[in-house]
Amino acid sequence: GLLILTVPFGKLHTDHQQRVYDMKALQQLLVDLFDIQQMLFYKNVKPESGNNFWQEINEEDARELVYKSGTECVACVCAINKV
C-alpha cells in the first residue's frame, strides 16, 4: 500500500504538544515497513499580518529549524509498503 504521512520536522524535540522528528528518527520510524519514495519539507511562515502559510524549503534548511511554538516545519512523506 501507499503511505502519505506528514510529521513535524526539524531538530529532534518532544514535549506535551508534539514530537518533532529529525531525519534519523523519521527513517527509524519507517525503515522496517516502508520504502520512502519522496520527501518534501514545508516551513510555517508567520508574517506580521497574522496569516501564516507553508513554504517549501530544502532538506538542509529543514534540518536546522528549531521548535519554538506550534509547528515550525513539516516533512511530507510518500512511501510504499514493503510487505
Side-chain angles (χ1 to χ4, degrees), residues 20-51:
V20 178
Y21 289 86
D22 62 7
M23 187 56 72
K24 180 179 178 183
L26 187 53
Q27 287 176 339
Q28 286 176 340
L29 178 69
L30 300 173
V31 70
D32 290 336
L33 299 175
F34 296 94
D35 285 321
I36 296 172
Q37 302 297 303
Q38 183 177 26
M39 196 175 304
L40 300 173
F41 304 91
Y42 295 88
K43 177 182 177 180
N44 190 0
V45 178
K46 304 170 192 169
E48 290 182 23
S49 67
N51 296 322

Side-chain angles (χ1 to χ4, degrees), residues 9-11 23-24 57-65:
F9 187 87
K11 297 281 187 182
M23 187 56 72
K24 180 179 178 183
I57 60 173
N58 63 43
E59 180 181 335
E60 184 178 297
D61 291 340
R63 287 175 184 245
E64 298 303 314
L65 289 174

